Amino acid sequence: RRSAVSINMAVTRVSVLALRAVPSMATRMARPARICGRWSCSGVNTASRVPEKAVARWFAGVGTATLGLTAGTWYINTRTARCADTDEEAKPEPTLVQKCIAEAVGTGVIVGGGCTIVSALKYAGAPIGPLAIALGFGGSVMMAVYATRDISGAHLNPAVTAALAVNRPEAVPEGTVLPYIAAQIVGATVAGALNYLAYRGAIFAAEAEAGIVRGTVASMSIYDGAFGMLINKKIIKTPGAFMVELGATAALAFMIFSITDPTKTVPDAAGPALVGGTVATLIMGTGPLTGCGMNPARDLGPRLVTAVAGWGSAAASPGFWIYTAGPLAGAILGGALYNALLA
C-alpha cells in the first residue's frame, strides 16, 4: 500500500509539471522575433522557425501524456482503496481463546509489574517509595491495556468486566464474562507465582530476620502488598475498608466509562494512558488505607500463591473478602453513575 501511495504521488507531480510546461512552451513559440531591426509579422522567429506540424505533435504529445498520467493516477487510487478495504475485510475476529489469552497476559502484566515493585521495596530494600508503587501499577495498567485492547477489549479486571456486562452490555461479547474473569485470575496467579520465585530467597531472609514463622498470624505482614493485601487496622476498620475499596473502584469505573465513551472527544490512543493515570492517582490517595486493590484478580491470584507457598490458612487474612466484594460492587456502581449523569 505504501508503494502505491509513493507511485501515486510521483505520477501526480509529473502531471503537474507537464501541465505547467504547456503555457510556457506556447509562450516561447508565439513570442515575436526581431529580424533586421523589425518585428516579424508572423510572431515566430523566422531564423529558427519551428515547423507547425512539430508544434502540433508536441501539444498532442503533452495532452496524451497528461491524460495517460491522470488515468494512471485514478487507477492507482482505485487499487489502493481496494487494497485498504481488502485488508480491513481480511482481518479476522479474534477467537474466544485468543481473547482469554490476552486477558490473562494483560492481567499478568499488571500484577507482575506492580507487585514486583512492591517486592523490590519490601524484600530487597530498593531505594524507592510509595510513589514508585503507585506509578508502577499505573504504568503496568497502561502497558497492559495498550497490548491487549485490540484483541479482547482490555478488561483485565473482573470488576471492569462485571461493570461493562451490567452497564454497557454491547461492549461485552456474549458468553465472555465468565471466561474473561477466569482468565484474569489465572494470569494474576501465574504472575504472582513468578514474583514469588524471583523473591523467594529474600522473603525467607525477611522472615528469619524478623523471627516470624510462616503460616502464623504474624506472617501475614510478610506477604502484605506484595501478594495479598491487608487492611491497615491502625487507621481503618473492615466496614470502612470495604467502603474505600468500593469508592475507589467506583471512581475508576466512572473514569473508564468516560474515557472510552465513543460520543466524547477523548482521543482513542490516549485512553490507556489516562486509565493508568487514574489508577496511579487512586493508589496515592487510598493505598495507605487498604492497599487500593480495585481488582479482585490482583488480590486473589497472588493470595492463592501464598496459600500454596506455606502460609496456608494465614493467606485468608481478616477481611480479605473486601478486595473482591468491594471492587465488584464499586465498579458496577461507577458505571451506572456515569450512564445516569454524563452518558
Side-chain angles (χ1 to χ4, degrees), residues 22-328:
V22 172
S24 176
M25 285 296 298
T27 302
R28 286 199 298 270
M29 289 183 175
R31 183 178 299 161
R34 187 164 182 168
I35 302 177
C36 299
R38 293 185 303 167
W39 293 104
S40 169
C41 296
S42 65
V44 179
N45 191 333
T46 55
S48 58
R49 180 184 296 275
V50 178
E52 293 181 359
K53 290 184 178 180
V55 175
R57 283 196 301 271
W58 188 88
F59 276 106
V62 170
T64 302
T66 302
L67 290 174
L69 291 172
T70 302
T73 302
W74 172 84
Y75 177 76
I76 291 174
N77 283 335
T78 303
R79 294 293 298 174
T80 303
R82 288 179 180 174
C83 288
D85 293 339
T86 302
D87 289 345
E88 292 179 359
E89 293 174 359
K91 187 176 181 180
E93 173 73 14
T95 65
L96 179 58
V97 172
Q98 291 173 322
K99 292 177 180 180
C100 288
I101 290 174
E103 286 295 306
V105 170
T107 310
V109 168
I110 295 172
V111 174
C115 292
T116 300
I117 293 175
V118 178
S119 297
L121 173 64
K122 191 178 184 73
Y123 307 128
I128 56 178
L131 178 61
I133 295 173
L135 295 177
F137 270 107
S140 298
V141 168
M142 177 186 69
M143 292 185 292
V145 175
Y146 273 124
T148 63
R149 63 176 182 163
D150 293 329
I151 301 173
S152 66
H155 296 190
L156 314 181
N157 183 339
V160 172
T161 299
L164 290 171
V166 173
N167 299 298
R168 195 181 284 176
E170 68 277 7
V172 182
E174 185 178 357
T176 61
V177 173
L178 292 180
Y180 270 29
I181 292 176
Q184 293 154 4
I185 295 174
V186 168
T189 303
V190 172
L194 294 175
N195 183 34
Y196 177 78
L197 291 175
Y199 283 95
R200 181 172 177 271
I203 294 172
F204 279 120
E207 290 173 329
E209 183 179 353
I212 292 176
V213 178
R214 185 175 298 189
T216 62
V217 173
S219 68
M220 295 178 183
S221 62
I222 295 294
Y223 67 72
D224 179 25
F227 295 92
M229 291 174 284
L230 299 180
I231 301 169
N232 188 347
K233 291 296 184 67
K234 295 179 180 179
I235 302 176
I236 195 168
K237 303 303 180 182
T238 300
F242 171 78
M243 295 305 299
V244 168
E245 284 294 313
L246 185 150
T249 315
L252 174 61
F254 188 95
M255 289 306 302
I256 290 174
F257 272 61
S258 174
I259 292 167
T260 59
D261 189 340
T263 66
K264 298 298 187 290
T265 59
V266 177
D268 184 60
L274 294 174
V275 173
T278 302
V279 169
T281 302
L282 291 169
I283 291 176
M284 291 179 199
T286 64
L289 301 176
T290 63
C292 193
M294 300 187 293
N295 185 338
R298 177 261 175 269
D299 180 76
L300 284 175
R303 196 179 290 275
L304 290 173
V305 173
T306 57
V308 174
W311 275 270
S313 61
S317 58
F320 78 96
W321 57 270
I322 73 161
Y323 296 104
T324 297
L328 286 172

